[in-house]
Amino acid sequence: MTLLTAIKPRQDVLAGELSEARFAAGLEDVITGSAAEAYSEPSVFFAQTYPSHGLRTLLNEALGRLLGTRPDAASVLRLETSFGGGKTHNLIALYHAAKGKLDRDIARSFMDPAVLAAPVDTPTPTVAAFVGTSAGATTFPTVDGISANTPWGYLALQIGGATAYDIVRKDDEGLSAPGSDQLKQIFAGKSVLILIDEIARYLAAAGARVVGESTLAKQVLSFLMALLEAADSSERVVVVITTAGETDAFAADTETLADTLKQSASLLARKELVLPASGEADLPKILSRRLFESNLTGLAERKAVATRYAQAAADAHAAGLDLPLEVVTGAYARKVEDTYPFHPDLIRVLDKRLSTIPNFQRTRGALRLLARAVRSIWTAGTELDLVHLHHLDLSDQVIAEELSSRIDRPLYEPVIRTDIAQQPGGAPSHADEVDARMGAPYGRRLATAAYLFSLTRNVPGVPASDLYAAVLAPSDDPNLLVKALDNLESACWYLHADVRGYRFSTEASLVRLIQEAEEKVLGSKVRERATKILSDQYKDSALKVRRAWEDAKVPDSSEDAYLVAYHWDDFGDARGVEAATDPVPRKVLDTYEKAPSGGVREYRNRLVFLVPNREGHEPMLKAVRRLLALEQLRSTPELLQNLGEDKRADVARQASEAGLLARVAVCNHVNVLYVPGKGGLETVVLDTVTSASVRSNQTDAILDLLAAMDKTLAVGSKPLDPAYVRGKLGAQFDTMQPSNELVRAFARRPDLRLVLDRGQIVNLIAAGVRNGVWEYQAPDGGSTGWSTQTRPGPAPRLGEDTLLHPPGSFRSDGPEACPLCEKVHTGGCGSPSGGGTGGGAGGGSVITVAATNFTGSGAAGPAMVGTRQSAIDAGRTRAGRLQVSISHLGVGADKELQRLLSVAQAASTGASTTYIVSARVQLDDPEHEITIQFSGPAADYAPLREALRTILRRPADLKAGINIAWTDLVELQGEDFAAVVNAAQATGPTKCEVRITTEGSQ
């Protein structure tokens, strides 16, 4: 069951009829009969009222004294809590009960039945009330044709009409406080209940009224002292008075009133009893009783939901999600059950955060917000188990105003609109954009929760662990929660994050300052810097670099091999090619097919072409623009002076990171390679470059890729089979050729390798001689200058004067025995040796892979996938061990460590996991630091998790690793290994080293 089926909202909630007037409980309106039915009709009122501990105590004490069933009950009851805390609501309950309007069947749940066990002939108490908000300094409603001037005159008229008023007439007309004896005469042995509400507001007005050498406010305080003394000395008189908390709008007057009550209490035989109107534990029950028809007390679904939430928290924590300690203990289920159908953090924010704002009334304000949220949930048919903070939908304009301008936070309206929730007709917020990119709703949830935690001024931010706990629901993906919060931190203009947590503020964050700086960067400057980065990233190596945008000519020569790089401007508005679908660009083909002089290019196997892909253009511009903006911020003191030292350091750190990321973005934009092949130019897309894999000279990365594709012949390359090469060369080498012609042949033939090391050609010649593929002749011309399969001669060298002959070409110059047939003859040997290949050389070779360890580096996801693929390509099928290590210097070590551990937590139960953590953390005093060393199983690390996370929020030198060993080998393409790979892709470290040990290892 979900909330939609488990409980039912009251009809006025679903109908949207809970207006401000219906929430505003007015005691005087109830007395005059002008209040809404929810307050004036006792049966309706008590049906929607929760019997909190404070209310039960109030009814037992007051009615017990009034009816005589508890003669020792307190004569003065003071309700003390903040505005909206339920004071007036409790006074209304007492008014109805004192008037005998509380049904005895219902009364059992609101008070002790023994209190009502008064004799049948016990008279109904007289009730008199004074509400400070409904009276001016000298203006009161008319009673018995008399308009009183003071609270004492007004109360006397209500208790005994004109007769009672005559006792204090003179004091009322003179605005002077009566004595306690006069008040006792008014009581005249009656059972009297006096209700005084919002007295502090009246005192604020009465303070301006001069009475002789005093003020009316001082006279009212004197009256209160006399009233309390008279009530205490009368058997059945009870005074109930409300006072506000210290944070409320009339705190100064309330403090004065409290002092007065204390002074008067010292004169009484028994001190007044101070009661809270309602406590934190009562709030969810008060709210649910008013908003829902269902009786939730015995609802079985409460326990089921509590169990689901506790299990979800335990599972998320086990998966690596940082959660508060109280959420992962056994008490959490009980807490959820107590606040059902509201999430504990929703009640926490309403009671502890929003209630401290003077303009937000704790119960009344909460009811307004929740009534609208409940109506929206049930109207939309949203399936959920609990009402969370994020169900206070800030895209609802009414709720947004309730939580900004209405609570004196008008400057937060643009914060909501910009960062948290799209307003009707407006642009998507940054949180909405995060959700759109992720395809999950976690950004809006987290932003809403962070905002509601932020509305209390001068309170530190909310920790990430508290935010996760506030939004986490069963079936949520913990990894996506972490990713969403990281994305919010990078996207929001008003979200600030530091060691204390996350907090929205009206002050623009560093994110916004950077974006403002970005908006001022000229497009021409971006293109200029991007071009410079491209030039700096691709420099001469074994491949000579020629930049097409500099009109550099590419020689038609067999000597050097060239990397021809193109600029995005060479492709007009397209800014590049779509490697999967576009043909080879015409400008590339022209360079490949034509010599600089205009003729046909002869040596095509000396060229490799690098062009941009169109998808990478905008990301590149964005990255370079950010770099220029950060450099501008860093070099502009007037922009930095309003930032704290930590933010200035953050600008420097981000500028350094932006430089690296700009290089990465340029390399990932210009990453389509055209390589000569048998059928012409072949298209190759370079591997994605990361911060960990980018090189100072990216030409070397191209060389590594070409080597992995067996496209190049370089130092360390696998030797070529000379018979295979000879077969490729055709009839040309059936006759004598200079050895340099072999170099030229490789330069002409795209179906052969691109030669980067001529030493490999020398080795090829030597191997061809040994295998009888050809014979070599040095330039001395004599028989001693020949090398054949059976006749060793000089070591080969390349040149126009060194020759390659077909096999059997050697002839001796004199009557010496032929080394092949041992006969004396001239001319060619008659033995059948010519053309033999010897040694069984064939058209290829077989590689036996003995390695059992495969390594990779970079971002965790690509590194893990690439390393696994290397093992699979080598014929491996199973793995026994996986090691992942990170190295991090500076701030953010806590997040990198958490990302590393999230990979370990995805390992199956059949694996043994070891954590290794080594860190040095610099303290504020440069002479002191913290050194951390840990190595052990995950269970031993768990108690240290929170402490280390807190410590590593400072700048740190962190080295850490995980070692996952499977008891039984797991399939590289099986579910167990895939779970770890998926975790690495979702939330793994941004840069790491990966090592996979496959079958056959020691």
Side-chain angles (χ1 to χ4, degrees):
M1 296 178 67
T2 64
L3 281 186
L4 294 179
T5 53
I7 59 178
K8 181 180 180 182
R10 295 189 182 276
Q11 188 55 42
D12 56 358
V13 174
L14 289 178
E17 296 173 353
L18 289 185
S19 62
E20 177 70 18
R22 292 178 70 89
F23 282 124
L27 175 61
E28 201 158 71
D29 291 337
V30 172
I31 294 173
T32 61
S34 60
E37 182 186 54
Y39 299 105
S40 62
E41 178 55 47
S43 61
V44 176
F45 176 82
F46 283 108
Q48 298 180 2
T49 298
Y50 173 73
S52 66
H53 174 73
L55 177 55
R56 288 177 58 87
T57 303
L58 173 65
L59 295 178
N60 285 334
E61 289 288 323
L63 291 180
R65 182 175 175 85
L66 291 170
L67 300 178
T69 53
R70 282 194 179 182
D72 59 341
S75 60
V76 179
L77 299 173
R78 178 154 60 95
L79 303 184
E80 183 178 45
T81 188
S82 60
F83 284 137
K87 302 182 302 292
T88 302
H89 195 92
N90 285 3
L91 289 181
I92 294 172
L94 177 57
Y95 172 81
H96 285 313
K99 286 289 191 178
K101 302 293 181 62
L102 177 58
D103 185 274
R104 286 186 176 267
D105 291 335
I106 299 176
R108 295 189 186 93
S109 62
F110 282 87
M111 57 192 301
D112 183 355
V115 171
L116 299 176
V120 178
D121 58 350
T122 302
T124 300
T126 298
V127 181
F130 167 65
V131 180
T133 55
S134 62
T138 57
T139 304
F140 292 88
T142 299
V143 179
D144 280 358
I146 301 173
S147 296
N149 300 300
T150 63
W152 45 92
Y154 181 51
L155 290 171
L157 284 167
Q158 293 179 69
I159 294 170
T163 302
Y165 178 75
D166 286 340
I167 298 173
V168 294
R169 179 186 294 274
K170 185 177 180 180
D171 299 303
D172 179 65
E173 293 173 347
L175 305 182
S176 58
S180 60
D181 290 338
Q182 292 167 276
L183 298 178
K184 290 176 188 178
Q185 292 177 45
I186 292 174
F187 298 151
K190 295 179 182 179
S191 177
V192 179
L193 171 63
I194 299 176
L195 304 176
I196 301 177
D197 191 19
E198 308 283 16
I199 186 64
R201 291 180 179 265
Y202 181 77
L203 289 174
R209 179 79 176 190
V210 177
V211 179
E213 296 183 357
S214 180
T215 64
L216 180 56
K218 292 180 179 179
Q219 294 301 313
V220 172
L221 294 176
S222 297
F223 159 68
L224 288 176
M225 294 181 68
L227 175 63
L228 300 183
E229 183 179 354
D232 190 61
S233 59
S234 303
E235 289 187 359
R236 295 191 179 184
V237 176
V238 175
V239 176
V240 181
I241 188 167
T242 67
T243 57
E246 294 180 359
T247 60
D248 288 329
F250 298 90
D253 298 306
T254 299
E255 186 176 354
T256 303
L257 175 59
D259 289 341
T260 300
L261 293 175
K262 289 178 182 178
Q263 293 174 31
S264 64
S266 66
L267 303 176
L268 306 179
R270 183 166 47 249
K271 292 183 179 180
E272 91 276 10
L273 179 62
V274 180
L275 300 175
S278 62
E280 179 181 1
D282 295 321
L283 185 57
K285 300 176 179 65
I286 292 171
L287 296 173
S288 61
R289 178 68 71 92
R290 178 61 186 89
L291 295 172
F292 299 100
E293 291 181 358
S294 313
N295 183 0
L296 308 184
T297 305
L299 190 65
E301 185 63 13
R302 293 179 65 169
K303 187 175 291 293
V305 169
T307 301
R308 286 201 294 272
Y309 268 77
Q311 186 61 50
D315 292 345
H317 187 64
L321 186 65
D322 188 15
L323 292 172
L325 184 61
E326 63 268 19
V327 174
V328 294
T329 61
Y332 186 56
R334 180 62 184 172
K335 191 170 186 178
V336 173
E337 190 174 349
D338 287 342
T339 62
Y340 182 88
F342 308 108
H343 190 280
D345 281 312
L346 174 58
I347 298 301
R348 172 186 168 195
V349 168
L350 292 173
D351 187 65
K352 301 296 186 185
R353 296 274 182 140
L354 295 181
S355 66
T356 64
I357 300 173
N359 289 0
F360 184 88
Q361 295 167 316
R362 178 174 174 267
T363 307
R364 191 183 304 170
L367 279 171
R368 279 200 309 269
L369 288 172
L370 292 179
R372 196 164 184 91
V374 167
R375 183 189 180 201
S376 175
I377 290 168
W378 260 260
T379 299
T382 308
E383 297 288 347
L384 69 163
D385 287 321
L386 292 177
V387 181
H388 287 248
L389 280 167
H390 53 264
H391 290 118
L392 298 178
D393 185 3
L394 292 172
S395 66
D396 182 327
Q397 208 160 11
V398 173
I399 291 181
E401 289 174 359
E402 285 272 1
L403 292 170
S404 56
S405 56
R406 184 154 184 161
I407 56 173
D408 196 26
R409 304 288 193 274
L411 295 180
Y412 277 92
E413 290 181 9
V415 175
I416 295 173
R417 182 174 63 252
T418 303
D419 279 349
I420 303 168
Q422 180 178 2
Q423 301 302 293
S429 70
H430 291 125
D432 292 324
E433 290 173 347
V434 167
D435 287 345
R437 289 196 300 271
M438 293 182 59
Y442 300 120
R444 169 84 78 88
R445 288 191 196 175
L446 289 163
T448 302
Y451 176 79
L452 291 169
F453 273 108
S454 303
L455 289 174
T456 309
R457 292 182 176 132
N458 302 319
V459 175
V462 56
S465 57
D466 285 11
L467 279 180
Y468 296 144
V471 304
L472 180 67
S475 78
D476 280 351
D477 186 333
N479 293 323
L480 291 182
L481 276 176
V482 174
K483 188 174 181 180
L485 187 56
D486 285 346
N487 289 343
L488 283 178
E489 188 176 348
S490 301
C492 290
W493 288 358
Y494 300 99
L495 181 62
H496 299 260
D498 55 32
V499 294
R500 299 173 300 174
Y502 293 83
R503 178 180 178 84
F504 278 102
S505 167
T506 55
E507 176 187 346
S509 68
L510 189 54
V511 171
R512 176 56 178 153
L513 291 178
I514 294 171
Q515 289 189 11
E516 288 177 343
E518 288 176 356
E519 292 168 2
K520 298 176 182 177
V521 176
L522 297 176
S524 59
K525 294 294 184 183
V526 174
R527 292 190 294 273
E528 179 182 327
R529 184 61 170 274
T531 302
K532 184 179 187 306
I533 293 173
L534 177 61
S535 298
D536 291 343
Q537 280 301 127
Y538 291 96
K539 294 172 286 194
D540 287 353
S541 182
L543 290 170
K544 304 296 183 183
V545 177
R546 290 292 181 268
R547 302 178 183 92
W549 65 92
E550 295 176 351
D551 292 328
K553 302 301 181 184
V554 185
D556 184 18
S557 167
S558 64
E559 293 299 315
D560 292 320
Y562 294 97
L563 172 66
V564 185
Y566 286 86
H567 196 275
W568 42 89
D569 286 346
D570 292 330
F571 296 86
D573 293 339
R575 298 302 188 185
V577 300
E578 173 53 60
T581 58
D582 287 357
V584 179
R586 184 69 256 172
K587 53 177 57 69
V588 172
L589 288 174
D590 286 346
T591 303
Y592 179 63
E593 296 171 351
K594 298 176 182 177
S597 61
V600 176
R601 183 178 291 275
E602 180 180 3
Y603 299 110
R604 298 184 181 185
N605 202 33
R606 303 304 282 158
L607 306 181
V608 176
F609 300 90
L610 181 66
V611 304
N613 78 79
R614 64 174 60 107
E615 289 184 358
H617 188 67
E618 289 304 322
M620 179 198 72
L621 294 181
K622 183 177 180 182
V624 176
R625 184 180 296 276
R626 179 177 174 82
L627 168 62
L628 293 174
L630 282 162
E631 289 179 344
Q632 181 64 28
L633 274 176
R634 194 175 181 183
S635 62
T636 311
E638 56 269 25
L639 293 177
L640 295 176
Q641 62 185 3
N642 295 326
L643 298 176
E645 184 176 347
D646 59 331
K647 294 296 184 186
R648 290 195 292 271
D650 199 20
V651 170
R653 177 187 63 80
Q654 289 196 44
S656 177
E657 290 180 354
L660 182 60
L661 293 175
R663 291 169 54 204
V664 167
V666 170
C667 293
N668 285 328
H669 180 25
V670 186
N671 73 338
V672 179
L673 205 63
Y674 293 111
V675 182
K678 184 177 181 179
L681 289 174
E682 300 174 358
T683 305
V684 179
V685 179
L686 299 177
D687 293 337
T688 300
V689 178
T690 67
S691 299
S693 65
V694 66
R695 306 193 189 186
S696 58
N697 186 358
Q698 204 63 23
T699 306
D700 293 336
I702 292 177
L703 290 169
D704 288 348
L705 176 63
L706 294 175
M709 297 168 59
D710 285 337
K711 289 286 188 180
T712 55
L713 197 59
V715 176
S717 293
K718 178 177 59 178
L720 292 177
D721 178 2
Y724 170 75
V725 174
R726 175 65 185 81
K728 283 280 191 180
L729 295 177
Q732 178 185 358
F733 280 80
D734 289 343
T735 60
M736 179 192 70
Q737 298 291 329
S739 58
N740 262 352
E741 188 59 28
L742 188 58
V743 175
R744 290 190 284 269
F746 270 85
R748 295 187 189 99
R749 298 284 298 266
D751 56 339
L752 293 176
R753 295 198 195 184
L754 188 149
V755 177
L756 300 176
D757 175 33
R758 292 196 173 200
Q760 292 286 354
I761 301 295
V762 173
N763 295 338
L764 177 65
I765 292 173
V769 171
R770 290 194 302 272
N771 293 341
V773 175
W774 44 56
E775 296 173 355
Y776 171 80
Q777 182 184 8
D780 61 9
S783 60
T784 58
W786 283 74
S787 296
T788 68
Q789 182 178 17
T790 58
R791 175 189 172 87
R797 68 175 179 82
L798 296 174
E800 297 298 328
D801 58 348
T802 59
L803 305 174
L804 295 180
H805 296 269
S809 297
F810 171 76
R811 293 175 182 272
S812 64
D813 293 330
E816 56 185 54
C818 175
L820 299 179
C821 61
E822 299 183 349
K823 295 179 180 179
V824 176
H825 60 80
T826 59
C829 174
S831 66
S833 59
T837 58
S845 58
V846 178
I847 303 172
T848 301
V849 180
T852 57
N853 292 308
F854 299 84
T855 61
S857 64
M864 191 87 72
V865 171
T867 308
R868 178 177 65 175
Q869 190 59 47
S870 296
I872 293 170
D873 291 344
R876 304 304 183 189
T877 60
R878 294 184 298 164
R881 185 184 301 274
L882 170 66
Q883 296 162 286
V884 184
S885 60
I886 62 171
S887 179
H888 184 91
L889 182 63
V891 297
D894 56 329
K895 293 182 179 178
E896 278 301 293
L897 180 58
Q898 182 60 35
R899 292 187 178 106
L900 173 67
L901 301 186
S902 72
V903 177
Q905 287 149 359
S908 58
T909 55
S912 171
T913 304
T914 302
Y915 292 173
I916 304 98
V917 180
S918 175
R920 286 192 309 146
V921 182
Q922 186 68 52
L923 300 179
D924 294 336
D925 182 349
E927 295 184 2
H928 296 85
E929 63 181 21
I930 297 174
T931 301
I932 301 164
Q933 296 286 339
F934 174 85
S935 179
D940 290 348
Y941 178 82
L944 304 176
R945 182 195 304 272
E946 298 297 331
L948 291 187
R949 183 176 176 85
T950 301
I951 292 171
L952 291 175
R953 284 175 180 151
R954 293 172 172 269
D957 182 2
L958 170 70
K959 292 178 176 58
I962 57 171
N963 188 337
I964 302 173
W966 284 276
T967 305
D968 297 318
L969 296 178
V970 297
E971 296 292 331
L972 282 168
Q973 294 181 294
E975 293 182 357
D976 289 341
F977 203 91
V980 179
V981 174
N982 291 340
Q985 291 175 314
T987 58
T990 56
K991 54 184 177 180
C992 65
E993 300 289 332
V994 175
R995 182 186 183 93
I996 299 174
T997 304
T998 61
E999 69 267 43
S1001 61
Q1002 299 297 318

